[in-house]
Amino acid sequence: MPGTPPTRYVYLGPEGTFAEQALRTVPAAEHGSRTPARSVGEALESVRAGEADAALVPMENSIGGAVGVTLDELAEGGPLVITREVILSVEFVLGARPGTDLAGVRSVAAHPQASTQCRNWLRAHLPDATVIDVLSNGAAAAGAANGEFDAAICAPIGAARHRLTLLAYKIADHPDAVTRFALLSRPGPPPPPTGDDLTSLAVYIAHDRVGALLSVLMELAVRGVNLTRIESRPTGEALGRYVFFLDCTGHVADARLGEALQGLRRVCAEVRFLGSYPRHRWTDAVGDRPVPAPAGLSDADYTDAAAWLARLRSGELS
């Protein structure tokens, strides 16, 4: 039923990871079921198959960049749409079994991305400890809890889940690091416009035409649509063939973005709509407000111009 919030959620597992922590910031998810999946593909396929209503998966990290497997699934898998984005501060902690102190830590379990983001802290505080790669932050916490490792680099939710004592807080080398997650559902009417929205697209350009990518960008620029992100991924067809992922300010219901989408449809080999959804808001600071449209390119300007053209076509010249 359109407008009915999801009740069955799945997320990239295991339990005790940043993905679970991000999902729990979604109010409706607190009242529904939350099931971990073994991979991004498994999470999204459960939504496609109707076994879950929505899946939360990582899209990009401010340090590590885009999550390629998620982008590939969105470009090549059965259609899904983003209904919400969640941006979570990545706060790593060092957890250990009660009774363990920092001096006694000889082995540290960590996901490779976690140990990379905490490299300087490890070098300064545990230079002689052996860092052991594990599959997830949740697995690191579980391994420390069962005595397989002396300590774990993990998310706060993982340390709490496995009753670990925190030996150190906020150990990441980049304290402002964030991860962006997307909540995906089966295709349906997008959430209504809020006035501060994003629209995501996967665009396949005409590779045999000079200036094909420029023509894509111009369709947005001439209508005052702000491009907040562009990312390319190989299509797998041949070397040099790419799909471009675009995040644009605006909503599919907006007149100017609607015209831009029509323009992209005309000049691109294929356009896959990935959803229109509210932009994550950190604060009410000036820098977090939506960028206003240039003069003559607001939705009101487009509505006025469309009404004027309709009058001309009906024979009215005033």
Side-chain angles (χ1 to χ4, degrees):
M1 184 185 224
T4 301
T7 58
R8 299 172 299 163
Y9 293 86
V10 64
Y11 62 93
L12 177 61
E15 295 180 341
T17 60
F18 287 111
E20 182 187 8
Q21 192 171 327
L23 181 59
R24 300 199 72 155
T25 68
V26 178
E30 283 293 288
H31 305 291
S33 63
R34 299 180 299 275
T35 305
R38 291 171 294 184
S39 66
V40 169
E42 181 180 283
L44 298 185
E45 194 55 41
S46 67
V47 177
R48 295 185 181 111
E51 298 165 359
D53 301 316
L56 189 95
V57 294
M59 287 280 285
E60 60 177 321
N61 177 268
S62 59
I63 305 299
V67 179
V69 65
T70 299
L71 298 185
D72 292 342
E73 279 282 344
L74 293 179
E76 300 168 9
L80 293 172
V81 291
I82 302 171
T83 59
R84 185 187 185 109
E85 70 168 357
V86 177
I87 299 180
L88 186 74
S89 294
V90 179
E91 179 185 324
F92 288 110
V93 299
L94 186 74
R97 294 185 309 283
T100 304
D101 59 18
L102 200 59
V105 173
R106 294 290 177 264
S107 62
V108 179
H111 185 277
Q113 287 187 357
S115 58
T116 297
Q117 293 187 42
C118 302
R119 183 188 295 117
N120 292 338
W121 189 93
L122 288 168
R123 186 182 296 122
H125 296 88
L126 292 172
D128 299 322
T130 301
V131 178
I132 301 163
D133 291 347
V134 294
L135 294 176
S136 70
N137 298 311
N146 65 29
E148 189 177 353
F149 314 104
D150 294 331
I153 295 175
C154 57
I157 190 175
R161 177 70 51 80
H162 294 282
R163 296 184 172 88
L164 298 179
T165 297
L166 297 186
L167 304 182
Y169 302 81
K170 298 184 179 181
I171 64 175
D173 299 335
H174 300 274
D176 297 326
V178 297
T179 296
R180 180 188 182 211
F181 295 87
L183 188 68
L184 290 123
S185 299
R186 291 180 294 279
T194 66
D196 189 11
D197 302 289
L198 289 176
T199 292
S200 294
L201 309 166
V203 171
Y204 297 79
I205 65 173
H207 293 276
D208 57 349
R209 201 175 77 211
V210 174
L213 180 57
L214 177 61
S215 66
V216 168
L217 301 179
M218 288 300 295
E219 292 293 337
L220 303 173
V222 298
R223 294 175 176 88
V225 175
N226 187 36
L227 183 65
T228 62
R229 174 174 167 270
I230 181 169
E231 184 93 24
S232 65
R233 291 284 297 170
T235 63
E237 298 170 353
L239 193 64
R241 299 275 178 160
Y242 296 94
V243 54
F244 292 87
F245 292 87
L246 310 180
D247 286 344
C248 313
T249 56
H251 192 282
V252 66
D254 297 343
R256 60 180 171 142
L257 185 58
E259 284 204 10
L261 291 176
Q262 292 180 70
L264 293 176
R265 170 76 175 181
R266 292 193 300 269
V267 304
C268 294
E270 182 185 347
V271 178
R272 178 174 277 205
F273 176 73
L274 301 179
S276 289
Y277 49 91
R279 188 168 72 99
H280 181 93
R281 297 299 302 275
W282 283 105
T283 66
D284 291 325
V286 172
D288 195 47
R289 294 173 187 165
V291 177
L297 294 176
S298 70
D299 249 34
D301 294 325
Y302 270 85
T303 300
D304 178 71
W308 173 76
L309 179 60
R311 290 196 300 271
L312 294 185
R313 287 173 170 170
S314 68
E316 299 178 32
L317 300 182
S318 57

